[in-house]
Amino acid sequence: MLVFDSEIKKAIRGRGEEQIPGIEYCEGWKDFIGMGISIVGVYDFREAKYRVFLDDNLSELQELIDNREFCIGFNNESFDNKLLAAHGINISEEKSFDLLKAIKEVTGTNKGFGLGAICEANFRTSKNGDGAFAPILWQQKQYGKVIDYCLNDVSMTLKVLTQLIDYEFIVDPRNEENTIGIELPFNIRNIGLNGFSNNETDKTGEKV
């Protein structure tokens, strides 16, 4: 099981924003090819470690995806999956799980449920930057800051996932007096609780 996040190379100009001199921009939020991939950050449950994929080793990511049961992100089905697919890296529908989508299915909305807001309400931790600036920093060759930002997002996504594996609820960031129950698919929760792949077997020889 993988938890992942990705960042892009080319900036996306917001409504009414002026272009920054010297910065390259793509054609907008649907220009997944033009965005490029600067980094994909991953936490691998099976190996219990973080991994970073850049231009020099990005080709290895597909093999890792193919050899893991699930790829879990935050808003990944609307963004990250499509970005990766545009660059030849495919996550099947069966493997993909989107935490933001799961929250929206329960609450009926994703407004107020940013990753930073959820982590602030539940763990008193926050994002260490703004994703909109990541491609600008990348083009300015501030690679370390972008890698750090991406891995922090992976860590925060992992915190949310672990909270749901352990307790099956999150504190509502819109009103911290309330909680929201979210039931994960059995196989995802089982892997998280047992700490190993469901390709492994238990003592009875049955797959877990």
Side-chain angles (χ1 to χ4, degrees):
M1 186 161 70
L2 306 175
V3 176
F4 77 105
D5 183 57
S6 58
E7 302 300 333
I8 61 177
K9 290 180 176 178
K10 291 188 179 179
I12 301 174
R13 187 169 63 172
R15 187 175 299 173
E17 289 182 354
E18 295 292 330
Q19 288 195 7
I20 299 172
I23 297 299
E24 294 184 327
Y25 290 79
C26 65
E27 296 299 318
W29 285 103
K30 294 185 179 180
D31 183 18
F32 292 105
I33 293 177
M35 291 174 189
I37 298 174
S38 61
I39 171 178
V40 181
V42 169
Y43 178 80
D44 183 352
F45 266 75
R46 185 179 297 179
E47 301 293 335
K49 68 180 182 181
Y50 288 88
R51 295 191 62 182
V52 170
F53 295 89
L54 307 177
D55 283 339
D56 64 314
N57 65 341
L58 190 59
S59 61
E60 300 172 14
L61 179 56
Q62 185 69 65
E63 182 179 0
L64 180 63
I65 290 169
D66 291 344
N67 283 284
R68 297 297 184 268
E69 302 83 357
F70 296 101
C71 295
I72 300 170
F74 191 90
N75 198 37
N76 55 297
E77 293 190 0
S78 294
F79 182 74
D80 304 85
N81 292 16
K82 294 178 180 180
L83 175 65
L84 295 182
H87 295 272
I89 301 168
N90 296 296
I91 300 172
S92 68
E93 185 177 341
E94 294 76 19
K95 285 180 182 280
S96 180
F97 188 79
D98 187 334
L99 289 170
L100 181 59
K101 181 180 177 181
I103 292 169
K104 185 177 180 180
E105 287 175 352
V106 173
T107 65
T109 183
N110 56 18
K111 292 183 178 179
F113 289 101
L115 181 59
I118 292 171
C119 287
E120 178 64 35
N122 284 269
F123 317 116
R124 297 300 177 225
T125 59
S126 59
K127 292 171 74 74
N128 62 350
D130 185 335
F133 292 109
I136 296 171
L137 293 172
W138 189 263
Q139 292 182 48
Q140 293 172 341
K141 302 187 185 304
Q142 299 187 57
Y143 304 130
K145 289 182 179 180
V146 179
I147 293 170
D148 186 57
Y149 172 77
C150 182
L151 290 182
N152 187 64
D153 268 15
V154 175
S155 175
M156 292 173 69
T157 304
L158 179 61
K159 283 179 181 290
V160 177
L161 175 62
T162 303
Q163 169 78 10
L164 294 177
I165 288 170
D166 290 342
Y167 304 110
E168 298 186 299
F169 75 86
I170 58 170
V171 174
D172 189 339
R174 303 166 303 175
N175 181 350
E176 294 186 16
E177 294 183 359
N178 296 332
T179 60
I180 300 169
I182 300 170
E183 186 174 348
L184 294 173
F186 172 79
N187 286 342
I188 291 178
R189 190 161 188 263
N190 194 44
I191 293 170
L193 287 172
N194 287 284
F196 50 76
S197 163
N198 69 354
N199 282 332
E200 299 183 36
T201 56
D202 64 12
K203 293 180 180 178
T204 69
E206 296 294 325
K207 276 194 173 184
V208 295

